[in-house]
Amino acid sequence: MQAFRNCGLCASGSLLKGRTDFLVARRNMAVLRLSAACVQLLKDKANVFCRSPVHQRLLRVPKVARSDTVAFSLGCSLCAVPFTQQVENLSHESLIRRASCLVTDSANTYLSQTTLALVDALTQYAKALHTLIALQKRYITSIGKLTPAEEDSIWQVIIGQRVEVGDRLEECRRFESNWMNAINICELSAEAAYNSGAEHACTATKANLQVAQCKVEELRKISKKAEKKLAETKAEEIQRMAEYASSIDITDLEDIPEAYLRED
């Protein structure tokens, strides 16, 4: 009897254990089916989102906003969703700072062009002065040695060179006016850049100003030196002509070219 009882208990335990395992297995299957349904649902949602107009607009955002994107997969599909780690600053201060940088860039370009034009004009003016000085010195050394025709020919060349000097000087004044406007604009733009917080643009503009002013000042000194030398040459010419006039008869003064007797 005891043996039958033990066998009955063993059989009952086996049946109970088998039923428990069956229930656990059914529960696991239910969980698996629920998980699969969730994954399929997320997959469908992701595919719909990727084809939606919202997603298409997001794909067209600027490159700066799409620089850091995180790609993730749901099931078998791949959907890229942009995540901006740092939103671009579009505050009034930032926009003003950007505008001031653009102004300094334009001002620096204007300064560069006007400086180049003025430097070239001053160089050509100095060359014209030196040419006139050479012509007048040549005339001084030939006073009293030339025929009236030769002397008249030399004076025609000198007068033509004087016209060239006047034209070059007028060109210098015109370009200098533009250059001064560029200087003023650069100074104002540098101040605006500093006030807006664009210290780098302000520093660069001030450096360009200093370089331009030094270059123009150097050419101005060369031109002033040439003008001073021309004035000395004219004084020497007048003295030499006076000496020549005192050494000849008064009737011979009629041969002195009228262009020489005229003061500039």
Side-chain angles (χ1 to χ4, degrees), residues 56-67 82 84:
Q56 296 300 324
R57 288 196 298 270
L58 288 174
L59 291 178
R60 290 195 297 270
V61 298
K63 185 178 180 181
V64 174
R66 293 191 285 113
S67 59
T84 303

Side-chain angles (χ1 to χ4, degrees), residues 181-209:
N181 290 335
I183 291 292
N184 294 332
I185 292 174
C186 282
E187 290 177 348
L188 291 175
S189 65
E191 182 180 358
Y194 179 80
N195 292 334
S196 65
E199 289 83 3
H200 178 72
C202 175
T203 303
T205 302
K206 287 184 177 180
N208 292 335
L209 276 170

